[in-house]
Amino acid sequence: MAKLYFNFSTMNAGKSTVLLQASHNYRERGMQTYLLTAALDDRSGARRIASRIGIGEEADTFSKGEDLFAKLKERLSEGAVACVFVDEAQFLEKQQVWELARAVDELNVPVMCYGLRVDFRGELFPGSAALLAWSDEMREVRTICHCGKKATMVVRNGPDGKPLMDGAQVLVGGNETYVSLCRRHWREAVGDA
Ligand SMILES: [Zn+2]
């Protein structure tokens, strides 16, 4: 039986690298994969999933309001797909997570989603909340804080290097940087005494 998977992490944990490696493992065995990433994210160039260690693959994109069940059904009608990979899954809409779940159940194709669990304010992304609720299997892609503990939180630092505590959840192309921290050091960074 196909399953809906959610691989979650904080920033800079290497989730795109894990995704590309998993896709490669299928392709190496002669199976096709279908890669999707958020249309709003053009950091790695349009329609491309790139990892920080220098590997990348062409990818199709999903945008707001798009019916992903219909999209996967159409792709499958063009040829067999062993597994669907979705990067930047935190940007999925709640409805789109249901559409992916339906594709898993009715089209019998595994869907592996990769995304951030929480934003810089410590709040769940809507897409991640839905995936945490409805995935068949979840796995954490781990990275560490500067202290060596597991990092689960992220701060968004402004151009002055100081943590920002408000602003849009989604920010593309800004001068901000993100640092992954354990919860204790995140609380210190944002001034939670
Ligand atoms: Zn720490």
Side-chain angles (χ1 to χ4, degrees):
M1 284 301 290
K3 287 180 180 175
L4 177 63
Y5 299 85
F6 184 34
N7 296 278
F8 61 90
S9 68
T10 183
M11 296 287 288
N12 306 324
K15 68 182 169 48
S16 298
T17 307
V18 175
L19 182 160
L20 292 166
Q21 177 65 54
S23 172
H24 178 77
N25 291 346
Y26 279 98
R27 293 185 180 182
E28 198 173 45
R29 289 161 179 78
M31 291 182 265
Q32 293 297 309
T33 58
Y34 181 45
L35 273 52
L36 279 169
T37 189
L40 60 90
D41 180 7
D42 55 3
R43 278 178 310 176
S44 50
R47 304 160 79 88
R48 190 171 169 79
I49 296 172
S51 84
R52 290 175 304 128
I53 62 167
I55 54 174
E57 283 284 347
E58 296 305 307
D60 205 350
T61 56
F62 64 86
S63 21
K64 295 245 175 279
E66 193 174 14
D67 181 340
L68 296 183
F69 178 81
K71 194 178 183 83
L72 295 194
K73 194 174 180 187
E74 190 184 342
R75 175 60 187 83
L76 291 170
S77 74
E78 293 163 9
V81 168
C83 188
V84 175
F85 291 90
V86 182
D87 201 14
E88 306 294 359
Q90 72 272 11
F91 296 138
L92 291 165
E93 294 170 304
K94 187 177 174 184
Q95 173 64 25
Q96 290 177 319
V97 175
W98 270 127
E99 289 159 4
L100 292 176
R102 206 177 135 217
V104 168
D105 296 341
E106 295 179 18
L107 307 177
N108 200 32
V109 65
V111 176
M112 302 201 72
C113 297
Y114 293 75
L116 303 175
R117 189 175 60 156
V118 296
D119 68 12
F120 68 102
R121 298 165 303 187
E123 303 285 342
L124 286 171
F125 284 92
S128 306
L131 283 161
L132 287 167
W134 304 326
S135 289
D136 297 297
E137 286 196 25
M138 286 172 277
R139 203 170 301 152
E140 186 165 22
V141 181
R142 293 182 171 212
T143 192
I144 55 170
C145 177
H146 59 74
C147 70
K149 282 183 74 174
K150 184 176 80 173
T152 54
M153 310 294 281
V154 64
V155 286
R156 178 194 276 170
N157 289 331
D160 60 356
K162 298 220 172 77
L164 300 171
M165 281 319 291
D166 48 30
Q169 190 173 42
V170 178
L171 204 61
V172 178
N175 287 323
E176 297 76 11
T177 55
Y178 293 87
V179 181
S180 291
L181 299 170
C182 69
R183 188 178 58 228
R184 176 185 165 189
H185 284 123
W186 181 85
R187 289 177 48 242
E188 278 179 15
V190 303
D192 178 47

